[in-house]
């Protein structure tokens, strides 16, 4: 999928080389959740000469413009994902492997809205991050 300059313009951002390249990383990566360091590493591997400070600055701009969503999924660093208009979802982070899995549960969503309502609020946003370890770790080669 190619990056469309109209997406940047419609979010109020000028079309620049760094912005186009970073947006392209999110659109073409096989990983949905990327840290600034992940983006920087991908750009470096693609021989794109952008500094890490530029990556951080652009990610912050994209988050503020609504192009990306920022999440804190443990380990003290932020990860970003494309804000593609999907419904709210939670994240389950494996403490064994660092893998991030997304989930959506309409019952949880209803309960969160009910809690907000009981407290006199309308739910507009939520962040739900679960941490766990697999019930069974995959067997390693050479082990029974």
């Amino acid at each position: 999928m190619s990056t469309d300059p109209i997406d940047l313009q419609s979010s109020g951002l000028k079309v620049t080389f760094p912005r186009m390249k970073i947006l392209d990383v999110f659109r073409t990566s096989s990983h949905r959740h990327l840290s600034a360091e992940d983006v920087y590493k991908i750009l470096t591997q693609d021989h794109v000469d952008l500094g890490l400070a530029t990556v951080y600055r652009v990610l912050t701009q994209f988050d503020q413009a609504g192009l990306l969503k920022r999440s804190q999924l443990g380990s003290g660093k932020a990860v970003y994902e494309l804000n593609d208009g999907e419904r709210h979802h939670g994240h389950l982070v494996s403490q064994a492997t660092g893998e991030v899995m997304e989930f959506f549960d309409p019952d949880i969503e209803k309960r969160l809205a009910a809690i907000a309502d009981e407290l006199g609020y309308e739910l507009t946003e939520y962040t739900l991050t679960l941490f766990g370890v697999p019930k069974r770790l995959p067997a390693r080669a050479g082990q029974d």
Side-chain angles (χ1 to χ4, degrees):
M1 180 187 302
S2 65
T3 303
D4 189 347
I6 293 172
D7 291 339
L8 288 174
Q9 292 169 337
S10 65
S11 66
L13 296 172
K14 281 185 172 180
V15 176
T16 65
F17 178 78
R19 290 178 180 153
M20 293 296 290
K21 294 309 274 182
I22 291 171
L23 192 54
D24 192 48
V25 166
F26 281 91
R27 292 206 169 136
T28 59
S29 175
S30 59
H31 300 286
R32 183 163 166 88
H33 304 91
L34 299 170
S35 69
E37 292 81 7
D38 295 331
V39 172
Y40 178 74
K41 186 186 303 182
I42 291 167
L43 291 169
T44 301
Q45 290 169 350
D46 289 345
H47 307 289
V48 176
D49 187 23
L50 293 179
L52 185 57
T54 299
V55 171
Y56 273 106
R57 187 177 65 254
V58 170
L59 292 176
T60 299
Q61 292 167 348
F62 284 178
D63 178 37
Q64 291 170 347
L67 290 171
L68 297 179
K69 293 186 279 186
R70 181 181 186 271
S71 298
Q72 205 70 30
L73 299 180
S75 74
K77 72 177 169 183
V79 293
Y80 298 84
E81 63 185 293
L82 278 176
N83 184 0
D84 50 13
E86 283 187 349
R87 62 183 175 218
H88 289 290
H89 60 270
H91 299 98
L92 174 61
V93 180
S94 170
Q95 291 176 304
T97 66
E99 179 184 11
V100 178
M101 293 157 277
E102 294 182 354
F103 67 90
F104 172 75
D105 185 314
D107 293 332
I108 291 174
E109 184 132 316
K110 288 176 193 169
R111 184 63 190 127
L112 292 173
I115 290 168
D117 187 55
E118 290 165 12
L119 296 171
Y121 285 82
E122 179 181 343
L123 183 65
T124 58
E125 192 75 27
Y126 72 83
T127 302
L128 189 59
T129 305
L130 310 174
F131 297 89
V133 293
K135 290 183 179 182
R136 288 187 212 178
L137 292 173
R140 292 185 183 162
Q143 293 183 343
D144 294 6

